[in-house]
Amino acid sequence: MSIQQTLVLGLGRTGLSVVAYALARGQTVYIYDDDRRSIQACCERYPQVMVWSESLPMTPATVVVASPGVADQHPLIQRARAAERPVINDMEWFVRAAAAPIIAITGTNGKSTVTTLVGQCLQAAGWQVAVGGNIGTPVLELLSMTPDYYVLEVSSFQLDRCPSWRAHIACFLNITPDHLDRYQDFEAYVKSKHRIFQHCQYAVINRDDPAITATAGQVIDFGLSAPAGQSFGICTSTDRYWLSRGPVPIMPVDEVKLLGDHQWANILAVLAIGDTLGIAHQSMRQTIGAFTGLAHRCQRVGHYRGVDWINDSKATNVAAACATITGLSRQYSSIIWIAGGQAKTDDWAPLIEIVVHAPIEHLLVFGQAAEVLANVFRPYLPVHRVEDMSQAVEQAAVFARPAGAVLLAPACASFDMYCNFEKRGEQFAQVVEALSS
Ligand code: UMA
Ligand code: ADP
C-alpha cells in the first residue's frame, strides 16, 4: 500500500481498528479525537502513534481515515478537503483487501436482525462466515479471518466515505427519516443509502418501500403481499400464511418467533439472500424458527404481577417504535409505554397515527425530549414526566395491568443520558429485575 501518512480521526472501535491495521502495514500513523481521554488511551495501547496537532501540515501523503460518528463538518475533515486530501473510512480499506464475496445489508431498521440471521443461515449451511460492520465488529478486524463470505451490516455513514464500495449481494430493507442531523435532508439520506447497490451482482429490495430503487445488479424483491414470479412474499396455503418464493411456500409465519409483521419482512429478506446463495429452504426454516431475537430488540426482560416488561431500547427512531407498538398491540390489550431520550426528528405524525389505534393507557417520558413528547402526545393519551429510568419503571408498575405489557420503546437516541442504547436497555432490565426481586 502506498499510503505513508495516515491520520486516524475518531478513536472508538473503528478508529482503534484502523490504527492497528495501518501500523501493521508499516504506515506512519497520526491520531486525533475530540476527547483527550481517547487519545491518551490510544497512545497507551499503541505507543508508536503520533498525536495530530493543528500546526502539522497536511502533506501530499496524508490520508484521513475518519470514523463513522464524525460528521463532514468536523474542522479536520474540512481542512483535509481544503488541502485536497482524501477522506476515506475503514470500509474503503476493507473492500480493497477483502478476498471473499461481501453480502451487505442496509436500511433504517432491521439491519442487525437480518445480518445476524443471514450469518446463522450461512453457517448452518456449512459456510465459513465473518459477520461485522455497523453491528459491532469493525470490518478491518474481519480481515484476519478467511471466510467463504463476509456478512456486513452497513450504515449510510460507512457507505459515504467508501468510493470503492462493492458487494456481491446488496440488500436494502427499508428507509424512513433518521440521522437527519448528518444529512441535508431525507433525500440526501436516501441517496447515501442507495450507494449500497454500487457494483453489486444481486440487489435484494423491499418492494413495499417506494423510496427504494435498485440501481444495479439482478433485482430480487420481497414484500408482505403475495409474490409474483420468483419474488418473495406471503401466500396462504393449507389455511396458514407462508413466507414464500413465488408460489413455493418456505415456512409458515407462525414459526417465526419474532414479534410483528415488520419482522416477517426482515425474514423474507433473509430468505431472499439465502435462496440466492443456494441454501436449502428447509435449512433456513430451521435456523429462522430457532431464532428468538437480539438483545434490546423487543425482548421480554421480566414478568412481574402478570405484566410483561419489554425492552426495545434499540427502537431509537419513530419508524422502529411504530413497528413495535403495532406488533405488540395485537398481543396485549393494555400497554404502558416508556419513551424519550434525544429526539432525532420533529415529525411525530407517524407515531401519533399508530398510538391512537394502540391499547396504550399511559405514556411515561424522560430525557431531553420529554417536554416535546409530552406536548405531542398529551392530546391523545395520559402523559407523565419522570426524571429517569428508575422513576419510569416505578410509575409503570403502578399503572400496569395483569396480562398487559410495559414497553420501553424510546423512539429517540440514548446519548443524552447513556453512552449507547445497550446501556439504556441494560438499566431498564436491571430496574425491572430489582422491582420483582
Ligand atoms: N469523535 C470525535 N469527534 C466527533 C465524533 C466522534 O472525536 O465529532 C470520537 C469520539 O470521541 C469517540 C469516537 O470518535 O472516541 C467514536 O467514533 P464513532 O462514533 O464512529 O464510534 P465507533 O466506536 O467507531 O463505532 C462505529 C459505529 N458508530 C457510529 O456509526 C456512530 C458503530 O455503530 C459500529 O458498530 C462500529 O463503528 C463498528 O463498525 C453504532 C451506531 O450507532 C452501533 N451506528 C449508527 C446506527 O446504527 O444508527 C449508524
Ligand atoms: P438496526 O440494526 O437497523 O437498528 P435492529 O434489527 O437492531 O435494526 O432493530 C432495531 C429496531 O427496529 C427494533 O426496535 C425493531 O423492533 C425495529 N425494527 C426491526 N425491523 C424493522 C422493520 N423492518 N421496520 C421497522 N422497524 C423495524
Side-chain angles (χ1 to χ4, degrees):
M1 200 181 287
S2 58
I3 295 168
Q4 289 150 36
Q5 184 176 296
T6 300
L7 169 47
V8 182
L9 174 53
L11 299 168
R13 288 197 75 174
T14 305
L16 292 175
S17 74
V18 174
V19 169
Y21 188 81
L23 287 174
R25 272 145 199 84
Q27 297 175 23
T28 303
V29 177
Y30 286 89
I31 57 165
Y32 183 77
D33 195 292
D34 288 320
D35 184 343
R36 297 294 309 172
R37 290 165 305 180
S38 301
I39 294 180
Q40 202 180 338
C42 183
C43 290
E44 280 164 19
R45 188 156 159 194
Y46 300 105
Q48 314 92 304
V49 299
M50 287 172 281
V51 179
W52 178 262
S53 80
E54 269 185 36
S55 57
L56 287 165
M58 291 251 176
T59 75
T62 307
V63 169
V64 177
V65 184
S67 286
V70 182
D72 275 348
Q73 290 71 25
H74 194 282
L76 234 165
I77 293 185
Q78 296 283 327
R79 193 175 154 202
R81 295 236 158 98
E84 297 186 342
R85 300 314 310 143
V87 178
I88 56 166
N89 62 13
D90 59 327
M91 193 63 92
E92 175 65 16
W93 279 357
F94 173 82
V95 293
R96 287 186 204 166
I102 296 168
I103 299 163
I105 292 116
T106 200
T108 304
N109 291 306
K111 298 183 293 298
S112 294
T113 301
V114 172
T115 303
T116 304
L117 265 173
V118 168
Q120 290 186 2
C121 285
L122 265 85
Q123 265 174 331
W127 299 106
Q128 298 288 326
V129 292
V131 178
N134 193 63
I135 195 168
T137 306
V139 285
L140 291 175
E141 290 178 15
L142 304 179
L143 289 175
S144 60
M145 300 155 85
T146 50
D148 298 305
Y149 289 98
Y150 289 107
V151 181
L152 305 184
E153 175 183 325
V154 180
S155 71
S156 52
F157 305 152
Q158 288 168 325
L159 292 166
D160 285 343
R161 295 180 187 134
C162 180
S164 310
W165 171 255
R166 63 184 164 84
H168 178 60
I169 301 179
C171 172
F172 195 159
L173 296 170
N174 50 62
I175 190 150
T176 45
D178 201 3
H179 300 304
L180 293 179
D181 53 330
R182 288 281 294 270
Y183 293 94
Q184 209 177 351
D185 49 28
F186 181 55
E187 281 65 40
Y189 172 56
V190 172
K191 193 171 167 207
S192 158
K193 285 263 191 207
H194 272 84
R195 291 204 57 249
I196 190 146
F197 296 128
Q198 177 175 291
H199 305 311
C200 73
Q201 272 84 57
Y202 297 95
V204 175
I205 63 162
N206 183 344
R207 66 171 172 274
D208 296 335
D209 199 323
I212 301 175
T213 316
T215 50
Q218 185 179 325
V219 180
I220 300 150
D221 65 272
F222 68 90
L224 294 178
S225 51
Q230 298 302 308
S231 299
F232 288 76
I234 298 183
C235 296
T236 39
S237 174
T238 58
D239 284 340
R240 287 167 101 183
Y241 288 111
W242 288 74
L243 304 172
S244 316
R245 179 187 177 193
V248 181
I250 303 176
M251 72 182 287
V253 295
D254 52 40
E255 282 183 16
V256 176
K257 297 209 171 69
L258 310 177
L259 206 60
D261 314 9
H262 61 292
Q263 295 293 6
W264 299 346
N266 292 340
I267 303 294
L268 285 164
V270 175
L271 292 171
I273 294 170
D275 181 82
T276 304
L277 294 169
I279 302 177
H281 291 175
Q282 189 55 31
S283 164
M284 291 197 280
R285 178 174 172 177
Q286 259 178 19
T287 305
I288 294 164
F291 184 69
T292 52
L294 299 170
H296 312 294
R297 281 94 170 163
C298 224
Q299 186 193 30
R300 195 173 88 149
V301 292
H303 183 76
Y304 169 63
R305 288 200 200 145
V307 176
D308 280 341
W309 292 75
I310 296 167
N311 168 19
D312 197 27
S313 177
K314 186 76 192 280
T316 59
N317 55 51
V318 165
C322 284
T324 297
I325 292 171
T326 306
L328 293 186
S329 297
R330 292 200 189 98
Q331 186 164 333
Y332 297 98
S333 55
S334 145
I335 297 174
I336 310 301
W337 175 32
I338 302 174
Q342 199 175 62
K344 288 175 158 183
T345 180
D346 51 15
D347 181 10
W348 303 95
L351 249 178
I352 294 173
E353 181 104 339
I354 298 290
V355 162
V356 291
H357 297 110
I360 298 178
E361 296 187 342
H362 294 272
L363 166 61
L364 300 157
V365 291
F366 70 98
Q368 248 173 36
E371 192 174 338
V372 170
L373 289 171
N375 291 336
V376 166
F377 289 101
R378 203 163 273 134
Y380 310 99
L381 73 166
V383 183
H384 316 267
R385 282 189 66 165
V386 289
E387 285 308 308
D388 53 23
M389 189 68 83
S390 303
Q391 266 194 23
V393 166
E394 217 171 275
Q395 197 58 50
V398 174
F399 293 137
R401 290 199 284 133
V406 176
L407 169 68
L408 170 69
C412 294
S414 57
F415 305 121
D416 56 336
M417 293 173 80
Y418 302 91
C419 54
N420 52 42
F421 71 87
E422 286 99 337
K423 291 277 176 263
R424 176 168 64 188
E426 280 161 20
Q427 204 204 1
F428 176 70
Q430 278 160 10
V431 183
V432 170
E433 202 190 325
L435 186 78
S436 48
S437 58

